[in-house]
Amino acid sequence: MTFALEFTLLILLLVTAAGAIFVKDLISAVLLLGCYSFFLALVWAWLGAVDVAFVEAVVGAGLATVLFLLTLFGTAPKDNRLRRPPPPMAAVIALPLLGILLLYAANDLPEFGDPGSPASVHISPTYLEQSYSDTRTPNVVTAVLMDYRSLDTMVETVVIFAAGIACALLLRRQTS
Amino acid sequence: MIRPHDSIIVQTLGRFLIPVIQMFGLYVLFFGQYGPGGGFVGGVILGTSMILSVLIFGHDASRSQVAKKVLHGDGVGMLIYAGVGGLCMIGSGEFLNYANLEIPGLETASRRSLGIVLTQIGVAVDVAVTAVSIVFSLSAEEIIEDSLNG
């Protein structure tokens, strides 16, 4: 049953992603990308990463869709048809080979949820054991993000701020 | 420039939904310590509610004034975050080590919890302002010049 759900979600992901690439109308592509983000959020939630799923649903499906649509409305309305040149021969041959190589390499990855994998034995047990007594914060993700790794989070905030400033500098022209 | 939406259904639903979305955003922001959520998601939800009001009621409506005023807060979120980090340095503490916040009557773990809440508010303010600011940048140049100059 779990396997069936997983399989359906992955197929829906592939279908929406391919649809967003192949559909001719750009507004349809934007909405398909929103659907893709919702399915990806479901996959994250199924894998147990609830915080990531939340961000994916809110940012990927909500905010990014609005920004894409506003960008589309800002361009010329008749410009929504694309002419696609056929892909070069080298890409058609090389990219499937690269995919096969990656699948082959994925055999060496640790199993999902393996307690002996390197990611689970390095510092994660320390966080899981001590974060509540250290910070009184039941959500370990928040404790790691905002306390143990708070300098990283601060620089991420600087990145978002810089993105807003860059958009303002590029797009807000003086009309007078 | 975004004009008000014609449909009465959209306007009525927006009037009803925007406060609910804002309440949910605040809930996600302050519940981030106990469940999924946190400053980033809460800030995006708060920003999205203001974007929704601009999309439904247009740039000039009185309901969009909040979104316009928010634009003046560019950088305040960064200031809150870095300011909490700076407050930790008082009394030879380390930058962003919330255990060094000089608040009498609080033990170390509670100080760190308080620091997490304050920095999450900073992240939320920063993200919400940036989201609204990008939408205004994409949609209306002359309106922004008017609202910021006069």
Side-chain angles (χ1 to χ4, degrees), chain A residues 61-86:
Chain A
L63 189 60
T65 309
V66 173
L67 294 184
F68 276 134
L69 284 180
L70 281 176
T71 314
L72 271 187
F73 292 147
T75 56
K78 285 180 185 167
D79 203 7
N80 57 359
R81 298 276 161 176
L82 281 186
R83 192 173 51 84
R84 293 170 207 282

Side-chain angles (χ1 to χ4, degrees), chain B residues 57-143:
Chain B
F57 301 111
H59 275 128
D60 294 330
S62 58
R63 288 170 191 274
S64 307
Q65 293 303 316
V66 183
K68 275 187 204 165
K69 291 223 167 56
V70 155
L71 286 179
H72 295 272
D74 229 356
V76 172
M78 276 310 307
L79 189 69
I80 295 174
Y81 203 135
V84 172
L87 283 181
C88 299
M89 295 171 78
I90 297 176
S92 73
E94 294 156 325
F95 187 63
L96 282 174
N97 187 352
Y98 311 133
N100 294 324
L101 280 174
E102 293 288 339
I103 297 166
L106 277 184
E107 50 186 318
T108 307
S110 302
R111 284 178 188 173
R112 290 175 75 162
S113 178
L114 180 70
I116 290 176
V117 172
L118 290 178
T119 48
Q120 274 190 333
I121 293 173
V123 173
V125 169
D126 185 84
V127 172
V129 172
T130 306
V132 177
S133 153
I134 290 179
V135 165
F136 269 74
S137 304
L138 282 174
S139 57
E141 299 107 29
E142 66 273 23
I143 297 296

Side-chain angles (χ1 to χ4, degrees), chain A residues 51 54-55 58 67 70 133-139 142 146-147 150 153-154 157-158 160-161 164 171-173, chain B residues 32-35 37 40-41 44 75 78 81 96 98 107 109-110 112-113 119-120 126 130 133 135 137 141 144:
Chain A
D51 287 86
F54 213 156
V55 175
V58 169
L67 294 184
L70 281 176
S133 58
D134 274 355
T135 64
R136 293 276 165 74
T137 301
N139 187 358
T142 304
M146 307 306 285
D147 189 293
S150 77
T153 314
M154 197 187 91
T157 320
V158 174
I160 295 168
F161 175 65
L171 296 169
R172 289 185 198 169
R173 291 175 296 254
Chain B
Q33 282 186 308
Y34 305 98
F40 189 79
V41 189
V44 173
M78 276 310 307
Y81 203 135
L96 282 174
Y98 311 133
E107 50 186 318
S110 302
R112 290 175 75 162
S113 178
T119 48
Q120 274 190 333
D126 185 84
T130 306
S133 153
V135 165
S137 304
E141 299 107 29
I144 290 163

